[in-house]
Amino acid sequence: MNSGTDNGPRVALVTGGSGGIGRACARRLARDGMAVGVHYAGNKGRADSVVEEITSAGGRALAVGGDIADEAAMRAAFDDVEAAFGGLDVLVNTAGIMLLAPVVDLDLDDLDRMHRTNIRGAFVVSQQAARRLRRGGAIINFSSSVHRTQFPNYAGYVASKAAVEGMTLILARELRGRDITVNVVAPGPTATPLFLDGKDQKTIDGLANAVPLERLGEPEDIAESVAFLAGPARWVNGQTLYTNGGLA
């Protein structure tokens, strides 16, 4: 596909791009010819390794850091990507945290942490993207298939992701006339550190077997959906795409 604009190659910023699904998305978009801003929150070394991987394959990439819930930090990150590559066309917001407990036991400080990163962070970066993306652009936020499966212990996390879905789908309507698509990807169980942390093998196997394809997703599976929404899927707008192997 043609990944360029009238002003040159398309440019993407991937939050949480230093690991897991974000890393796979950054690599996948780079293969489509996009220049990529690889965002990290705390581990610059991991982001630099993604940049090195992309540039050594002939692509263009830049590491940018900061707390996604900090407006000033994200304004600076967007500025850096625009200055390096001449503009911005795609935002992929994979950054998020997940802290699990039943409603009766969830520490409210953990609830606040998730809501600050998952809700405020998604709002901050979506706001910056809405102000900056060029025509033909795409905003892709992340929810989770557990919003639909409603597994126990996920209430605080699902509450934050339900808010992301609501905000994102409204933004799609608010950007009428801008030729910018706004969608949500909702992965199912995917083999990332975020998902695997704290789960025993029996739990992991049970979740894998719950999927009709009888396996966990891989980050690259999710990146394919992101590449679709970031590139050719110009008639998909204001939707939640459940990328979960048929889980529910």
Side-chain angles (χ1 to χ4, degrees):
M1 85 181 192
N2 180 3
S3 59
T5 68
D6 292 340
N7 298 318
R10 282 159 64 82
V11 179
L13 171 60
V14 180
T15 71
S18 64
I21 290 172
R23 183 186 189 107
C25 290
R27 294 163 57 189
R28 181 65 178 80
L29 296 179
R31 288 203 304 273
D32 277 348
M34 295 190 196
V36 182
V38 180
H39 164 268
Y40 64 94
N43 193 327
K44 185 176 187 299
R46 288 201 309 173
D48 286 340
S49 72
V50 180
V51 169
E52 172 61 26
E53 185 175 358
I54 291 170
T55 56
S56 65
R60 296 192 300 161
L62 170 75
V64 293
D67 175 0
I68 66 166
D70 184 324
E71 181 184 7
M74 287 303 96
R75 188 185 305 118
F78 275 75
D79 286 346
D80 288 346
V81 172
E82 288 181 327
F85 302 128
L88 189 62
D89 304 285
V90 175
L91 168 72
V92 182
N93 179 39
T94 75
I97 60 173
M98 179 171 63
L99 303 168
L100 304 182
V103 170
V104 296
D105 297 325
L106 182 64
D107 188 312
L108 294 182
D109 287 340
D110 287 346
L111 182 69
D112 290 343
R113 286 175 58 203
M114 283 192 289
H115 283 204
R116 185 178 190 279
T117 297
N118 296 354
I119 300 177
R120 179 184 167 91
F123 201 101
V124 166
V125 297
S126 295
Q127 184 179 70
Q128 288 296 316
R131 292 171 176 172
R132 296 169 184 251
L133 260 57
R134 296 182 287 203
R135 294 187 66 83
I139 296 171
I140 304 162
N141 277 318
F142 267 65
S143 180
S144 170
S145 288
V146 79
H147 181 208
R148 196 157 69 179
T149 60
Q150 300 172 352
F151 292 147
N153 301 324
Y154 283 81
Y157 178 69
V158 166
S160 71
K161 290 303 186 179
V164 171
E165 287 195 30
M167 177 269 295
T168 304
L169 304 188
I170 288 172
L171 180 59
R173 279 74 185 174
E174 293 179 346
L175 293 184
R176 171 185 291 272
R178 294 276 304 280
D179 191 26
I180 294 171
T181 61
V182 189
N183 292 289
V184 178
V185 172
T190 305
T192 66
L194 179 69
F195 172 78
L196 296 173
D197 184 43
K199 295 182 176 70
D200 60 28
Q201 192 60 47
K202 181 179 179 181
T203 299
I204 293 168
D205 291 343
L207 288 167
N209 289 331
V211 177
L213 296 179
E214 297 184 319
R215 67 174 177 88
L216 296 180
E218 296 294 336
E220 290 74 18
D221 294 320
I222 313 306
E224 288 299 324
S225 291
V226 168
F228 173 65
L229 294 173
R234 299 307 304 167
W235 197 236
V236 181
N237 189 31
Q239 305 299 318
T240 298
L241 178 57
Y242 285 87
T243 304
N244 62 18
L247 179 63

